[in-house]
């Protein structure tokens, strides 16, 4: 595979910003977040390119509205409520048309198409203060206009909240649309999905490296489950753990130097948790019992692992402190089957899948096992994974052998199905912020 996946597809040609983060417009720590009334004027096309230009404008406008709606922080005013400006001005005079309709902010944009290249300029105005907050110009391919918008939305989000946006992040997932399960990657919203592996074997359980440049996954292409690392820029992969037996449930440590995994070695009485130091190739056993210990998830500080074990009978969630050697602490006691723990990037929460009455749903608890809360109530839901800003959770849901990807916020709001165009998607993993 020669296609570069994570490399940025555009160059920033100019940056105009009157004051970087001089004001936080949206306080994410507030008990209730006020949706910022924002107007988006129809983007103007500088070149006349007919149907092609109109289609690109629709994609640009649709992607921008989708990104802002996904954040849950904006109230987008109808573009039909005011007459768009004929030019992309440098001042906030365009706000005059929108402030009577309640707009506190305004986005304007213009684009040009030249020989397969798309140039896009977008500006954000504070209508209340009557000033431009930011303006950016991007150049990219006409084949992926939505990507340009994602990067603008990231910068807009950071300008208004002081926090990084997730719009340019990615999703890894597995699809069994063919006879074999293969790995795929997409934008955060499921769009621009394409296939990563083509080895005609079973590839499962993808996880991101902390720098977003590699994927750790399990493959049966050696005849039994082994762990592989796939370089997402070069397409090359290599086995990192292929001992006889199980090599599964791999997860990178926050610094990327160690992998937590499950091995079933001949000397062990059951599958146990191990650490694999990628610098030395050495293994360290963490658990020793007669149960099955799987699905490790690192705490953000790298000091602990949440994992699933059936040492108490049914599978439950445990936390093991790695360095101090204390006994594993059991966090869940209810439900017939608790699995797939996922520690939030801020360290406050653990999302997991719990089965009651034969149906799995996504649950949430704090890092000490308290405040257990059910987030989903329909479907058969599993394998939660956090967005890098800890404001959303992606998971797989399905029945009858077919599955799809969904997102939800930790408060149980904002449930949304993702359409990748691939089908039968499972075990999603949300990327870190792409560097």
């Amino acid at each position: 595979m020669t296609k570069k996946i994570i490399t940025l597809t555009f160059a920033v040609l100019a940056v105009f910003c009157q004051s970087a983060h001089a004001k936080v417009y949206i306080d994410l720590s507030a008990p209730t977040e006020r949706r910022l009334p924002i107007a988006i004027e129809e983007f103007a096309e500088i070149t006349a390119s007919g149907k092609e230009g109109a289609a690109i404008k629709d994609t640009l406008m649709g992607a921008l509205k989708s990104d802002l709606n996904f954040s849950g922080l904006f109230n987008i005013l109808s573009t039909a409520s005011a007459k768009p400006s004929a030019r992309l001005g440098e001042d906030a005079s365009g706000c005059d048309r929108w402030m009577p309709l309640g707009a506190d902010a305004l986005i304007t944009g213009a684009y040009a198409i030249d020989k397969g290249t798309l140039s896009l300029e977008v500006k954000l105005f504070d209508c209340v203060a009557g000033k431009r907050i930011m303006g950016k110009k991007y150049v990219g391919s006409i084949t992926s206009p939505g990507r340009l918008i994602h990067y603008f939305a990231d910068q807009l989000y950071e300008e208004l909240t002081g926090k990084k946006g997730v719009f340019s992040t990615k999703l890894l997932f597995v699809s069994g649309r063919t006879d074999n399960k293969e790995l795929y990657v997409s934008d955060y919203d499921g769009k621009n999905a394409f296939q990563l592996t083509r080895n005609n074997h079973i590839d499962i359980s993808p996880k991101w490296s902390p720098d977003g440049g590699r994927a750790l996954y399990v493959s049966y292409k050696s005849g039994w489950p082994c762990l592989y690392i796939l370089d997402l820029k070069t397409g090359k992969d290599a086995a990192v753990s292929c001992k006889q037996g199980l090599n599964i449930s791999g997860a990178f440590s926050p610094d990327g130097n160690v992998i937590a995994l499950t091995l079933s070695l001949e000397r062990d009485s059951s599958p146990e948790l191990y650490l694999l130091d990628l610098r030395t190739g050495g293994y360290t056993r963490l658990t020793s019992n007669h149960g099955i210990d799987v699905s490790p998830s690192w705490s953000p500080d790298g000091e602990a692992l949440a994992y699933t074990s059936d040492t108490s009978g049914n599978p439950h969630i445990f936390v093991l402190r790695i360095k101090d050697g204390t006994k594993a602490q059991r966090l869940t006691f209810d439900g017939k089957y608790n699995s797939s723990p996922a520690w939030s990037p801020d360290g406050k929460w653990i999302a997991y899948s719990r089965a009651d009455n034969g149906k799995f749903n996504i649950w949430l608890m704090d890092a000490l096992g308290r405040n257990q809360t059910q987030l989903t109530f329909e479907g058969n839901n599993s394998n939660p994974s956090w967005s890098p800003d800890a404001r959303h959770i992606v998971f797989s849901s399905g029945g009858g052998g077919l599955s799809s990807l969904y997102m939800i916020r930790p408060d149980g709001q904002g449930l949304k199905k993702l359409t990748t165009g691939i089908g039968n998607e499972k075990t999603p993993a949300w990327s870190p912020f792409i560097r």
Side-chain angles (χ1 to χ4, degrees):
M1 180 192 350
T2 59
K3 187 170 185 179
K4 293 188 176 183
I5 298 162
I6 301 303
T7 304
L8 301 187
T9 58
F10 68 92
V12 179
L13 296 187
V15 177
F16 319 92
C17 187
Q18 293 180 341
S19 57
H21 310 306
K23 176 181 178 182
V24 174
Y25 289 78
I26 301 173
D27 184 4
L28 296 179
S29 64
T32 57
E33 297 161 353
R34 171 180 174 264
R35 289 178 178 259
L36 181 71
I38 191 168
I40 306 174
E41 288 196 346
E42 291 285 344
F43 288 176
E45 184 182 359
I46 299 173
T47 54
S49 55
K51 292 183 179 180
E52 181 183 43
I56 286 178
K57 180 170 73 171
D58 289 344
T59 300
L60 293 171
M61 297 295 294
L64 180 55
K65 292 175 184 178
S66 178
D67 285 354
L68 297 188
N69 280 325
F70 171 80
S71 74
L73 302 178
F74 299 94
N75 176 25
I76 301 176
L77 303 181
S78 171
T79 53
S81 299
K83 184 178 179 180
S85 173
R87 63 184 182 86
L88 192 61
E90 291 296 322
D91 57 35
S93 60
C95 286
D96 295 341
R97 297 182 298 278
W98 292 97
M99 287 191 69
L101 301 174
D104 286 353
L106 169 66
I107 296 173
T108 63
Y111 65 98
I113 301 171
D114 181 29
K115 297 178 181 179
T117 298
L118 172 65
S119 300
L120 173 67
E121 185 177 357
V122 194
K123 297 180 181 180
L124 171 67
F125 296 95
D126 180 340
C127 291
V128 178
K131 67 177 183 179
R132 186 181 65 197
I133 302 173
M134 61 178 286
K136 307 274 182 189
K137 188 173 182 179
Y138 310 93
V139 173
S141 170
I142 62 172
T143 61
S144 55
R147 296 248 175 108
L148 301 185
I149 288 295
H150 290 333
Y151 286 104
F152 169 73
D154 276 342
Q155 293 162 337
L156 176 149
Y157 185 92
E158 187 167 2
E159 191 69 41
L160 296 182
T161 68
K163 305 292 184 180
K164 289 184 177 180
V166 301
F167 307 107
S168 57
T169 58
K170 307 284 184 179
L171 299 178
L172 286 170
F173 60 92
V174 171
S175 173
R177 60 177 296 182
T178 62
D179 292 337
N180 301 291
K181 294 180 179 179
E182 304 277 5
L183 302 189
Y184 293 77
V185 68
S186 73
D187 292 348
Y188 88 98
D189 55 5
K191 292 183 170 52
N192 296 308
F194 63 90
Q195 191 170 339
L196 291 176
T197 60
R198 299 179 182 274
N199 53 50
N200 296 319
H201 288 84
I202 297 175
D203 301 330
I204 57 175
S205 304
K207 292 291 189 296
W208 290 90
S209 63
D211 64 1
R214 295 168 295 163
L216 180 67
Y217 69 103
V218 176
S219 179
Y220 285 73
K221 59 186 177 181
S222 294
W224 66 93
C226 297
L227 277 176
Y228 291 80
I229 291 180
L230 172 66
D231 188 308
L232 295 174
K233 293 181 180 180
T234 66
K236 296 180 180 179
D237 68 352
V240 291
S241 184
C242 203
K243 293 181 175 294
Q244 285 293 327
L246 299 177
N247 302 256
I248 60 173
S249 299
F252 280 103
S253 62
D255 63 8
N257 292 326
V258 178
I259 291 174
L261 71 158
T262 296
L263 297 177
S264 60
L265 303 182
E266 187 176 353
R267 67 173 181 264
D268 296 334
S269 59
S270 62
E272 306 287 358
L273 290 184
Y274 281 78
L275 297 181
L276 167 59
D277 191 319
L278 294 176
R279 297 161 296 187
T280 66
Y283 291 84
T284 302
R285 188 169 69 178
L286 296 180
T287 60
S288 180
N289 53 57
H290 293 282
I292 298 174
D293 304 324
V294 293
S295 304
S297 175
W298 291 85
S299 62
D301 61 9
E303 298 290 325
L305 289 170
Y307 66 100
T308 300
S309 178
D310 64 356
T311 53
S312 58
N314 294 333
H316 282 280
I317 308 300
F318 290 75
V319 165
L320 176 67
R321 307 299 301 183
I322 296 174
K323 293 184 178 180
D324 61 17
T326 57
K327 183 180 179 181
Q329 177 188 1
R330 180 176 169 181
L331 299 188
T332 60
F333 292 85
D334 298 319
K336 290 228 170 199
Y337 200 111
N338 296 267
S339 65
S340 305
W343 219 309
S344 66
D346 59 10
K348 296 179 180 179
W349 303 98
I350 296 174
Y352 61 103
S353 181
R354 169 177 155 179
D356 296 279
N357 301 318
K359 289 288 187 180
F360 281 90
N361 277 294
I362 305 301
W363 284 68
L364 193 67
M365 60 183 168
D366 67 26
L368 297 177
R370 304 169 303 188
N371 303 310
Q372 296 182 7
T373 304
Q374 185 173 352
L375 299 185
T376 64
F377 295 86
E378 296 182 1
N380 206 16
N381 310 305
S382 60
N383 300 109
S385 177
W386 290 86
S387 63
D389 64 353
R391 295 193 69 242
H392 294 86
I393 298 169
V394 64
F395 61 95
S396 54
S397 177
L402 297 177
S403 182
S404 300
L405 301 185
Y406 284 79
M407 287 183 183
I408 197 168
R409 293 198 294 268
D411 62 2
Q413 301 299 309
L415 181 65
K416 178 183 179 181
K417 182 179 180 179
L418 304 184
T419 302
T420 68
I422 304 299
N424 200 21
E425 306 95 346
K426 303 176 185 293
T427 61
W430 206 317
S431 79
F433 293 113
I434 302 298
R435 298 175 186 175

